[in-house]
Amino acid sequence: MAPVKTLRALLHDADLAKAAGAHNPLTAQLVEQAGFDVVWASGLEIAASLGVPDANILSMNECLAVARAMVEKVSVPVLADCDSGFGGIGNVVHMVRSYEAAGVQGVCIEDKTFPKLNSFVAGNQALVPIEDFAGKIAAAVATRVNEDFVVIARIEAFISGYGLDEALRRAEAYELAGADALLIHSKLKTPNEIYSFCAAYDGDLPIVVVPTTYNSVTMEELRAGGASLAIYANQGLRGAITSIRQIFGSILAEGTAAPVENQLAPLGDVFGYQDVAALLSAEDRFESIGQGVAKQILNGAGEERRNADVVER
Ligand code: SPV
Ligand code: MG
């Protein structure tokens, strides 16, 4: 197996790097198993999986706990969606310390107000002033300990109704503040805004894109258009919703689970993701160590030591 590349290396690779969204360790494993290079710990997916809007309802610690658990289960890099940084500069400093310590390889923060609202929801998509967000980026970069920890600045100018000029102004500012990459978001059905940004941007940072609404674009086209990392942010969750709806509907409609059995992952797969084999072998190993210890105790040497202990006490 080829060695796993770091997130920083992937961002500077000749090929397009590919990430997919996950909301728990199981879905992170599915991202890795499918062959994606990076797990995107998606704010939308994590919030949706807990039944709340993607609007900073969850605390940083709730999001961090999910990202940390993902890191423990996959070997590809985890990139955490950290919304607008969970507050002000002090929150960003605490966030970078915490996520870096958890083994996450990078964070992405966006230039929206706190609380943020998912970019596809019609509602408040106001941007913070450039100086405020540049300060947050500078704080994030100054806080990291490992030089390879990646800080991605997400530009929401197009989402917020601004044009190319505002997006480029922000790109320049965030690059000056020390960002390692820029995520340019768009809610158009075509990649036109993304392409125009990539063509006009004359800085040095890798560009990250999220082809959710402009879903017909291919990976080759995104690479040729100037993107370094494409994030398929929520297709997994949406696919799971469709699949579960269909399975549950069919069980009730048919009055039996038999017809859907061939659409289900076998229980063996579930045990595989849980690493039940490791549990069983740990039990075997340590039970036999325990038995060995008990035998020594019952055979003399241990027995004498125990008696001596009793006498001393
Ligand atoms: C997420 O996955 O939470 C994202 C991407 O931020 S999006 O939902 O497209 O804004
Ligand atoms: Mg998000």
Side-chain angles (χ1 to χ4, degrees):
M1 230 174 42
V4 174
K5 292 183 183 169
T6 64
L7 176 59
R8 183 173 292 277
L10 286 163
L11 283 166
H12 292 279
D13 215 60
D15 297 328
L16 180 76
K18 296 130 199 155
H23 54 274
N24 57 24
L26 172 61
T27 48
Q29 289 176 92
L30 294 171
V31 169
E32 175 170 49
Q33 200 176 46
F36 284 91
D37 306 298
V38 176
V39 172
W40 168 248
S42 160
L44 171 65
E45 285 210 8
I46 295 169
S49 71
L50 291 168
V52 298
D54 179 19
N56 286 129
I57 307 297
L58 299 178
S59 69
M60 185 207 78
N61 277 319
E62 287 171 293
C63 300
L64 172 66
V66 176
R68 181 188 289 117
M70 289 178 179
V71 169
E72 285 168 14
K73 286 302 279 192
V74 297
S75 36
V76 294
V78 174
L79 167 60
D81 174 7
C82 288
D83 298 335
S84 51
F86 302 106
I89 284 176
N91 300 83
V92 169
V93 167
H94 179 58
M95 175 198 98
V96 169
R97 281 198 192 120
S98 308
Y99 276 81
E100 189 178 351
V104 166
Q105 288 198 20
V107 289
C108 177
I109 56 174
E110 62 200 57
D111 54 2
K112 291 216 299 254
T113 51
F114 178 92
K116 60 72 61 79
L117 181 64
N118 183 269
S119 304
F120 301 122
V121 176
N124 178 17
Q125 297 292 347
L127 303 185
V128 290
I130 292 185
E131 59 269 30
D132 289 7
F133 195 68
K136 284 188 184 179
I137 292 295
V141 170
T143 302
R144 70 170 164 223
V145 178
N146 179 346
E147 287 294 301
D148 264 349
F149 186 82
V150 169
V151 176
I152 301 181
R154 167 164 159 180
I155 300 165
E156 291 277 290
F158 293 143
I159 298 293
S160 194
Y162 292 91
L164 182 59
D165 285 352
E166 183 64 20
L168 290 170
R169 210 177 358 260
R170 284 174 178 265
E172 198 184 339
Y174 305 160
E175 183 165 359
L176 265 177
D180 299 303
L182 300 171
L183 188 158
I184 182 72
H185 208 7
S186 171
K187 56 185 176 188
L188 293 188
K189 288 208 153 38
T190 68
N192 295 351
E193 282 177 339
I194 298 304
Y195 284 158
S196 66
F197 176 87
C198 291
Y201 170 66
D202 64 358
D204 295 324
L205 298 184
I207 295 174
V208 182
V209 297
V210 186
T212 300
T213 49
Y214 48 100
N215 56 16
S216 57
V217 75
T218 66
M219 292 173 181
E220 290 77 37
E221 288 165 345
L222 287 173
R223 186 61 185 148
S228 295
L229 168 65
I231 302 177
Y232 293 85
N234 50 49
Q235 285 81 1
L237 175 77
R238 290 158 61 208
I241 291 172
T242 305
S243 170
I244 294 170
R245 271 187 195 141
Q246 194 249 316
I247 300 284
F248 286 172
S250 166
I251 292 172
L252 283 181
E254 304 289 332
T256 166
V260 295
E261 187 61 32
N262 63 1
Q263 296 172 56
L264 306 181
L267 277 175
D269 285 9
V270 179
F271 299 150
Y273 293 117
Q274 294 172 294
D275 213 350
V276 171
L279 166 79
L280 298 181
S281 83
E283 283 179 351
D284 272 359
R285 182 172 164 215
F286 294 111
E287 276 169 14
S288 68
I289 289 176
Q291 283 156 8
V293 168
K295 251 191 217 138
Q296 283 185 42
I297 293 288
L298 295 177
N299 296 341
E303 190 67 19
E304 277 161 29
R305 211 177 310 122
R306 229 172 23 169
N307 290 342
D309 269 6
V310 171
V311 172
E312 276 163 29
R313 270 195 238 118

